[in-house]
């Protein structure tokens, strides 16, 4: 076995292993909620805040004697 054969054999094992799939760099489309769900949640949040503000206003007016 010569020195050239030894370096050829180690070159194959020293090569870095590359993953089969690329590394994730950011959010994927599968990680996001559907747009209709996002809009529905936003509308519900706004609606609940309006109802809470209206109830607060009713208590405020009723207590101002």
């Amino acid at each position: 076995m010569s020195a050239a054969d030894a370096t050829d054999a180690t070159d194959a094992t020293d090569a870095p292993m590359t993953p089969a799939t690329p590394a994730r760099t950011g959010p994927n489309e599968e990680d996001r909620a559907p747009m209709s769900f996002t809009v529905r949640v936003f509308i519900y949040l706004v609606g609940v805040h309006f109802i809470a503000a209206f109830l607060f206003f009713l208590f405020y007016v009723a207590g101002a004697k």
Side-chain angles (χ1 to χ4, degrees), residues 9-50:
T10 58
D11 287 344
T13 57
D14 289 342
M17 296 180 61
T18 57
T21 58
R24 294 182 56 171
T25 57
N28 195 355
E29 184 178 340
E30 296 173 355
D31 295 336
R32 296 179 59 190
M35 187 56 113
S36 60
F37 178 75
T38 305
V39 169
R40 194 175 348 144
V41 167
F42 179 74
I43 291 171
Y44 288 161
L45 285 175
V46 170
V48 167
H49 280 87
F50 273 120

